[in-house]
Amino acid sequence: MADVETDVLIVGSGPAGGAAAMLLSTYGVPNIVVTKYSSLSDTPRAHITNQRTMEVLRDAGLEEQVVALATPQHLMGDTPFCSSLAGEELGRLHTWYNHPSRLADHALASPSSICDMPQHLMEPVLASAAIARGTAFRYQTEYLSLDQDADGVTATVRDRLRGDEYTIRAKYLIGADGGRSKVAEDIGLPMVGQMGVAGSINIVFEADLTEYTAYRPSTLYWVLQTGSDVGGIGMGLVRCVRPWHEWLIVWGYDINGEPPDLTEEYARRIAHHLIGDDTVPVTIKSSSAWTVNHLYAETYQSGRVFCMGDAVHRHPPSNGLGSNTSIQDAYNLAWKLRLVLAGVAAPSLLDSYSAERAPIGRQIVDRANRSIGETTRVFEALGLLSTDDPAQLRRNMDARKLPTPAAEKQRQALREAIEFKNYEFNTHGVELNQRYTSAAIVPDGTPMPENPRDDELYHHATTWPGAKLPHAWIGRDRHRMSTLDIGGQGRFTLVTGVGGEPWVAAVEGLPVTVVTIGPGADYEDIYGDWARLREVGDAGCVLVRPDNYVCFRSFDLPQDPSGTVRAALSQVLGRRA
């Protein structure tokens, strides 16, 4: 008999594990988190928190808490490319949707805004909420192995304080143990790609850089200097952790050679090198070496064991997709575990987790690594094959200032190269156009809608089954809320309009909440936006899962609405009649 028992055991306390624990406890599912570390993350690492993740946190009641701690959108995106912070600027790009036209797209897509929430601030929010809602956290507890059978999983762990080993019995286990996941290894998840594609270092430091940054507020400052094309993430980077005194540098090294000796002197020299002013006092907080990876799992599940986060998608920080995808993995799985454990859904529902999230993991791994390669266009525009010769680097930069046809061509190429980095910093479609295909989605016979604009750069709202529910502002009792606010909360929601009242009787006895939108209905379509976005008639319906994904829709009222919606819900829950 196991020493400890629970419904779900979570290995790892990072963004994926913390979010899974928080969501499971929100849904009332008993769970335990084990982490071999003595504390949560003490470095900023992941930081960009996109709209979809903020929607997840909104549904979980944590959005306001995160907004209060995060750097807001308007301070994130006046991003320069320069020779150093104090040196010459080559150009700027509006990033994180701060260009006026992209800001409009951003506001129309979601009730939530992107922000910069460093990991060492995000993890305590998730963990604190998880503990307050019922999660048992066990620090300094190292996962060693697992053994699963038809009824559950028995994990062996070691208490690193006492030194003894004991077992935890769970009905399901989640491996959220990072980029060198032992859980993923133990269950033999098939991996595609390569670890250690390039070498990189992080240097966390404190310095008052207001003079060089506050007039162009940004999360990222890209620096082209000697050595900036070696390893790393495409170019030297000075990242703002907290305006304008906490910073993190990303700098590369040749992964085929020895990693640098990360002394304080070395770190300070690199910091002054990128700042471009060695009179600025710099306090080094930490330095660490890491590798750029290009690896993803083809499936996320083996029996009763699931993996999420960096355990199954390992990639550089480009595009800011890491912690976002991890938290969204947890959002996809948590409600499914809850319904299966409650006996509402068949265990087969859990198969949809891997079917839905594994393609997303592959997409973001490829996108993040492609963004590194696209940085070379900046070097090419300046006529640089390498940055080994600082004098040549300076001459090539200066050449663009000449009144010659060649210089004019160079200036145009540089503008286009910087503009092309929209595919790293403004990929609204990558973040919000994630479409699911699985047994937990009931197709309606229509093809996946085509985006009239670039599918990576631009969000395309649709109620196509497998897409995220579109955001529209609706009203009730002089209050405004999002369509996303009437969904979520661990429940299925059926949205209909005037003439759709028969759907209310149709779902009687089912775990579904019905909401009507229209004149005299539960909510008013105050701007007419929902009518434009819903893609069904007034008496039709859109059935939304607990993760605010559309799983079924009917364009109009069928002859047998009860039989229709019951058949759809039965398919989603894996309980076909």
Side-chain angles (χ1 to χ4, degrees):
M1 184 175 179
D3 299 291
V4 179
E5 294 187 0
T6 189
D7 278 5
V8 181
L9 174 62
I10 301 164
V11 181
S13 59
M22 179 272 295
L23 290 163
L24 287 170
S25 287
T26 302
Y27 299 150
V29 177
N31 65 93
I32 294 173
V33 172
V34 297
T35 173
K36 65 182 179 181
Y37 301 109
S38 60
S39 66
L40 301 174
S41 175
D42 60 357
T43 59
R45 289 187 289 178
H47 60 113
I48 298 298
T49 307
N50 66 33
Q51 282 183 305
R52 180 55 182 158
T53 299
M54 292 302 292
E55 290 173 358
V56 174
L57 298 171
R58 182 186 184 93
D59 184 32
L62 298 177
E63 182 181 32
E64 290 185 2
Q65 190 173 345
V66 169
V67 168
L69 294 169
T71 299
Q73 181 182 13
H74 72 275
L75 295 179
M76 293 172 60
D78 200 8
T79 300
F81 293 76
C82 53
S83 61
S84 70
L85 296 190
E88 185 174 5
E89 187 174 299
L90 301 172
R92 286 187 214 174
L93 182 68
H94 291 289
T95 59
W96 313 122
Y97 317 107
N98 275 286
H99 188 283
S101 65
R102 301 309 307 274
L103 192 60
D105 287 334
H106 188 270
L108 289 169
S110 173
S112 304
S113 295
I114 194 171
C115 63
D116 189 300
M117 181 67 169
Q119 187 170 337
H120 68 306
L121 299 180
M122 178 68 85
E123 285 189 13
V125 170
L126 298 174
S128 296
I131 293 168
R133 299 173 189 185
T135 297
F137 251 77
R138 297 193 173 206
Y139 294 96
Q140 299 233 21
T141 303
E142 183 178 6
Y143 162 81
L144 298 177
S145 64
L146 66 83
D147 181 45
Q148 63 172 315
D149 53 51
D151 300 315
V153 185
T154 301
T156 300
V157 300
R158 176 189 295 119
D159 187 305
R160 301 182 76 182
L161 289 175
R162 298 191 308 254
D164 61 313
E165 298 179 7
Y166 63 96
T167 58
I168 301 176
R169 177 71 173 175
K171 295 172 183 174
Y172 295 97
L173 185 146
I174 295 174
D177 49 337
R180 300 192 180 276
S181 171
K182 190 172 190 313
V183 175
E185 180 182 350
D186 287 349
I187 63 175
L189 291 187
M191 299 287 182
V192 176
Q194 180 183 349
M195 295 281 280
V197 175
S200 196
I201 59 172
N202 283 357
I203 299 170
V204 180
F205 68 100
E206 293 181 354
D208 184 357
L209 301 181
T210 305
E211 176 184 357
Y212 301 122
T213 59
Y215 72 94
R216 48 184 180 182
S218 182
T219 287
L220 307 174
Y221 297 81
W222 293 91
V223 181
L224 193 158
Q225 288 186 355
T226 304
S228 60
D229 60 335
V230 178
I233 54 175
M235 193 179 289
L237 174 65
V238 181
R239 179 190 131 198
C240 180
V241 177
R242 305 297 281 175
W244 306 107
H245 59 92
E246 292 185 26
W247 303 88
L248 184 150
I249 280 173
V250 181
W251 189 249
Y253 69 90
D254 185 356
I255 198 168
N256 297 314
E258 289 294 322
D261 184 8
L262 299 180
T263 63
E264 186 171 325
E265 179 184 0
Y266 172 84
R268 184 173 288 104
R269 178 167 57 84
I270 294 296
H272 277 140
H273 190 50
L274 271 63
I275 295 169
D277 180 354
D278 59 11
T279 68
V280 174
V282 169
T283 301
I284 303 298
K285 306 296 289 185
S286 67
S287 302
S288 59
W290 52 281
T291 60
V292 174
N293 303 313
H294 191 149
L295 192 80
Y296 58 86
E298 292 183 302
T299 182
Y300 289 5
Q301 174 188 7
S302 177
R304 289 176 171 263
V305 182
F306 305 85
C307 286
M308 60 177 56
D310 289 355
V312 285
H313 36 79
R314 306 171 191 176
H315 53 90
S318 311
N319 290 76
L321 298 168
S323 64
N324 290 291
T325 308
S326 300
I327 291 171
Q328 292 161 35
D329 287 345
Y331 194 44
N332 183 285
L333 180 61
W335 68 270
K336 296 173 181 177
L337 284 170
R338 180 231 174 185
L339 293 182
V340 171
L341 286 164
V344 174
S348 61
L349 172 64
L350 299 175
D351 296 338
S352 67
Y353 166 65
S354 186
E356 292 174 356
R357 294 305 296 172
I360 305 302
R362 175 177 182 175
Q363 177 195 21
I364 63 105
V365 167
D366 289 343
R367 176 64 262 173
N369 277 276
R370 195 157 67 247
S371 291
I372 291 180
E374 289 167 355
T375 304
T376 60
R377 291 172 65 124
V378 176
F379 294 93
E380 292 169 353
L382 294 171
L384 295 169
L385 298 177
S386 77
T387 62
D388 292 342
D389 185 344
Q392 185 63 49
L393 178 64
R394 182 72 264 164
R395 285 194 295 270
N396 285 32
M397 287 185 181
D398 289 342
R400 76 187 198 286
K401 303 172 186 177
L402 300 174
T404 65
E408 183 175 358
K409 184 177 180 180
Q410 184 185 42
R411 291 190 292 271
Q412 176 66 21
L414 182 59
R415 288 193 297 270
E416 292 175 354
I418 292 175
E419 179 71 16
F420 197 76
K421 294 304 286 179
N422 276 302
Y423 283 94
E424 180 171 356
F425 307 122
N426 291 303
T427 48
H428 212 197
V430 173
E431 296 167 12
L432 296 184
N433 292 344
Q434 297 179 3
R435 313 293 192 224
Y436 293 160
T437 303
S438 76
I441 301 292
V442 182
D444 63 4
T446 62
M448 184 183 299
E450 292 187 9
N451 194 334
R453 300 186 289 178
D454 188 299
D455 197 52
E456 285 195 308
L457 294 181
Y458 298 99
H459 171 49
H460 180 211
T462 177
T463 61
W464 185 78
K468 182 179 76 72
L469 179 69
H471 155 66
W473 292 115
I474 55 178
R476 180 178 183 176
D477 298 332
R478 302 182 182 180
H479 295 286
R480 189 178 77 159
M481 64 177 60
S482 170
T483 46
L484 296 174
D485 296 329
I486 61 175
Q489 303 172 56
R491 68 191 185 194
F492 283 85
T493 303
L494 187 147
V495 185
T496 187
V498 176
E501 291 78 8
W503 291 110
V504 178
V507 302
E508 186 175 348
L510 299 177
V512 178
T513 298
V514 178
V515 173
T516 58
I517 301 176
D522 296 332
Y523 297 90
E524 293 281 345
D525 188 8
I526 50 181
Y527 301 110
D529 290 338
W530 174 244
R532 285 187 287 270
L533 292 168
R534 68 190 181 192
E535 299 173 327
V536 301
D538 282 347
C541 80
V542 176
L543 182 62
V544 186
R545 306 187 321 187
D547 58 355
N548 267 325
Y549 261 73
V550 177
C551 60
F552 165 78
R553 68 178 176 180
S554 178
F555 293 102
D556 47 34
L557 187 67
Q559 287 187 340
D560 180 13
S562 178
T564 300
V565 73
R566 287 172 187 271
L569 188 61
S570 293
Q571 177 178 329
V572 173
L573 297 177
R575 296 194 177 281
R576 289 179 179 272

